[in-house]
Short mmCIF file of all heavy atoms in Angstrom, two decimals:
data_model
loop_
_atom_site.label_atom_id
_atom_site.label_comp_id
_atom_site.label_asym_id
_atom_site.label_seq_id
_atom_site.Cartn_x
_atom_site.Cartn_y
_atom_site.Cartn_z
N SER A 363 20.13 -11.96 28.97
CA SER A 363 19.71 -11.00 29.98
C SER A 363 20.78 -9.94 30.17
O SER A 363 21.96 -10.16 29.90
CB SER A 363 19.44 -11.71 31.30
OG SER A 363 20.62 -12.37 31.73
N TYR A 364 20.37 -8.77 30.64
CA TYR A 364 21.33 -7.73 30.93
C TYR A 364 22.28 -8.19 32.03
O TYR A 364 21.85 -8.67 33.08
CB TYR A 364 20.63 -6.45 31.39
CG TYR A 364 19.93 -5.70 30.28
CD1 TYR A 364 18.55 -5.79 30.13
CD2 TYR A 364 20.64 -4.90 29.41
CE1 TYR A 364 17.90 -5.09 29.12
CE2 TYR A 364 20.01 -4.20 28.39
CZ TYR A 364 18.64 -4.30 28.25
OH TYR A 364 18.01 -3.61 27.25
N ALA A 365 23.59 -8.05 31.79
CA ALA A 365 24.56 -8.37 32.84
C ALA A 365 24.50 -7.30 33.91
O ALA A 365 24.12 -6.16 33.65
CB ALA A 365 25.96 -8.45 32.24
N SER A 366 24.86 -7.68 35.10
CA SER A 366 24.80 -6.72 36.21
C SER A 366 25.77 -5.56 36.00
O SER A 366 25.59 -4.49 36.59
CB SER A 366 25.11 -7.44 37.52
OG SER A 366 26.41 -8.02 37.46
N THR A 367 26.77 -5.79 35.16
CA THR A 367 27.77 -4.74 34.93
C THR A 367 27.51 -3.97 33.63
O THR A 367 28.37 -3.26 33.16
CB THR A 367 29.17 -5.36 34.85
OG1 THR A 367 29.17 -6.41 33.86
CG2 THR A 367 29.58 -5.92 36.20
N ILE A 368 26.30 -4.15 33.06
CA ILE A 368 26.01 -3.47 31.79
C ILE A 368 26.18 -1.96 31.95
O ILE A 368 25.82 -1.40 32.99
CB ILE A 368 24.58 -3.79 31.29
CG1 ILE A 368 24.39 -3.36 29.84
CG2 ILE A 368 23.53 -3.14 32.17
CD1 ILE A 368 25.05 -4.26 28.85
N THR A 369 26.75 -1.34 30.93
CA THR A 369 27.05 0.08 31.01
C THR A 369 26.16 0.86 30.05
O THR A 369 25.97 0.44 28.89
CB THR A 369 28.52 0.35 30.65
OG1 THR A 369 29.36 -0.44 31.49
CG2 THR A 369 28.86 1.82 30.84
N LYS A 370 25.60 1.96 30.50
CA LYS A 370 24.78 2.83 29.66
C LYS A 370 25.37 4.23 29.65
O LYS A 370 26.07 4.64 30.61
CB LYS A 370 23.34 2.88 30.17
CG LYS A 370 22.61 1.54 30.10
CD LYS A 370 21.16 1.70 30.53
CE LYS A 370 20.41 0.37 30.42
NZ LYS A 370 18.97 0.51 30.78
N LEU A 376 22.78 1.66 25.50
CA LEU A 376 23.79 0.67 25.85
C LEU A 376 25.16 1.00 25.26
O LEU A 376 25.28 1.42 24.11
CB LEU A 376 23.36 -0.71 25.35
CG LEU A 376 22.06 -1.27 25.94
CD1 LEU A 376 21.74 -2.61 25.29
CD2 LEU A 376 22.16 -1.43 27.44
N LEU A 377 26.19 0.75 26.06
CA LEU A 377 27.57 0.77 25.60
C LEU A 377 28.04 -0.67 25.54
O LEU A 377 28.17 -1.35 26.57
CB LEU A 377 28.44 1.58 26.57
CG LEU A 377 28.10 3.08 26.69
CD1 LEU A 377 28.93 3.72 27.79
CD2 LEU A 377 28.32 3.79 25.36
N MET A 378 28.27 -1.18 24.31
CA MET A 378 28.49 -2.61 24.14
C MET A 378 29.95 -3.04 24.25
O MET A 378 30.23 -4.23 24.36
CB MET A 378 27.92 -3.04 22.79
CG MET A 378 26.41 -2.95 22.71
SD MET A 378 25.57 -4.09 23.82
CE MET A 378 25.72 -5.62 22.90
N ASP A 379 30.90 -2.09 24.22
CA ASP A 379 32.31 -2.50 24.35
C ASP A 379 32.58 -3.18 25.70
O ASP A 379 33.21 -4.25 25.73
CB ASP A 379 33.21 -1.27 24.17
CG ASP A 379 33.16 -0.75 22.74
OD1 ASP A 379 33.65 -1.46 21.84
OD2 ASP A 379 32.63 0.35 22.52
N PRO A 380 32.12 -2.62 26.83
CA PRO A 380 32.31 -3.33 28.11
C PRO A 380 31.60 -4.68 28.13
O PRO A 380 32.10 -5.65 28.70
CB PRO A 380 31.71 -2.37 29.14
CG PRO A 380 31.74 -1.03 28.48
CD PRO A 380 31.50 -1.30 27.04
N GLN A 381 30.42 -4.75 27.48
CA GLN A 381 29.68 -6.00 27.46
C GLN A 381 30.42 -7.07 26.66
O GLN A 381 30.40 -8.25 27.01
CB GLN A 381 28.28 -5.79 26.86
CG GLN A 381 27.40 -7.02 26.87
CD GLN A 381 27.09 -7.51 28.27
OE1 GLN A 381 26.71 -6.74 29.13
NE2 GLN A 381 27.28 -8.80 28.52
N ALA A 382 31.10 -6.66 25.59
CA ALA A 382 31.88 -7.60 24.79
C ALA A 382 33.01 -8.22 25.61
O ALA A 382 33.32 -9.41 25.48
CB ALA A 382 32.44 -6.89 23.56
N VAL A 383 33.61 -7.42 26.48
CA VAL A 383 34.67 -7.92 27.36
C VAL A 383 34.09 -8.92 28.35
O VAL A 383 34.67 -9.99 28.60
CB VAL A 383 35.35 -6.74 28.10
CG1 VAL A 383 36.35 -7.27 29.12
CG2 VAL A 383 36.03 -5.82 27.11
N ILE A 384 32.91 -8.60 28.92
CA ILE A 384 32.25 -9.51 29.86
C ILE A 384 31.91 -10.83 29.17
O ILE A 384 32.13 -11.92 29.73
CB ILE A 384 30.97 -8.85 30.43
CG1 ILE A 384 31.34 -7.65 31.31
CG2 ILE A 384 30.14 -9.86 31.21
CD1 ILE A 384 30.14 -6.84 31.76
N ASN A 385 31.38 -10.75 27.96
CA ASN A 385 31.03 -11.96 27.21
C ASN A 385 32.26 -12.82 26.94
O ASN A 385 32.24 -14.05 27.05
CB ASN A 385 30.37 -11.59 25.89
CG ASN A 385 28.97 -11.04 26.06
OD1 ASN A 385 28.37 -11.16 27.12
ND2 ASN A 385 28.44 -10.42 25.01
N ASN A 387 35.05 -12.99 28.63
CA ASN A 387 35.62 -13.56 29.85
C ASN A 387 34.68 -14.55 30.55
O ASN A 387 35.07 -15.20 31.52
CB ASN A 387 35.99 -12.45 30.83
CG ASN A 387 37.12 -11.58 30.29
OD1 ASN A 387 37.96 -12.05 29.53
ND2 ASN A 387 37.14 -10.30 30.68
N LYS A 393 26.45 -13.19 28.05
CA LYS A 393 25.35 -12.76 28.91
C LYS A 393 24.32 -11.95 28.13
O LYS A 393 23.14 -11.93 28.46
CB LYS A 393 25.90 -11.92 30.07
CG LYS A 393 26.91 -12.63 30.94
CD LYS A 393 26.32 -13.84 31.62
CE LYS A 393 27.32 -14.53 32.52
NZ LYS A 393 26.75 -15.74 33.16
N TYR A 394 24.80 -11.25 27.10
CA TYR A 394 23.90 -10.39 26.32
C TYR A 394 24.50 -10.28 24.92
O TYR A 394 25.72 -10.09 24.76
CB TYR A 394 23.79 -9.01 26.96
CG TYR A 394 22.82 -8.09 26.26
CD1 TYR A 394 21.46 -8.13 26.53
CD2 TYR A 394 23.27 -7.16 25.32
CE1 TYR A 394 20.57 -7.29 25.88
CE2 TYR A 394 22.40 -6.31 24.67
CZ TYR A 394 21.05 -6.37 24.95
OH TYR A 394 20.17 -5.55 24.31
#
Side-chain angles (χ1 to χ4, degrees):
S363 59
Y364 287 102
S366 59
T367 54
I368 194 76
T369 305
K370 295 184 179 183
L376 298 177
L377 296 174
M378 293 295 281
D379 292 293
Q381 183 63 49
V383 174
I384 293 173
N385 288 346
N387 294 331
K393 301 298 181 182
Y394 183 84

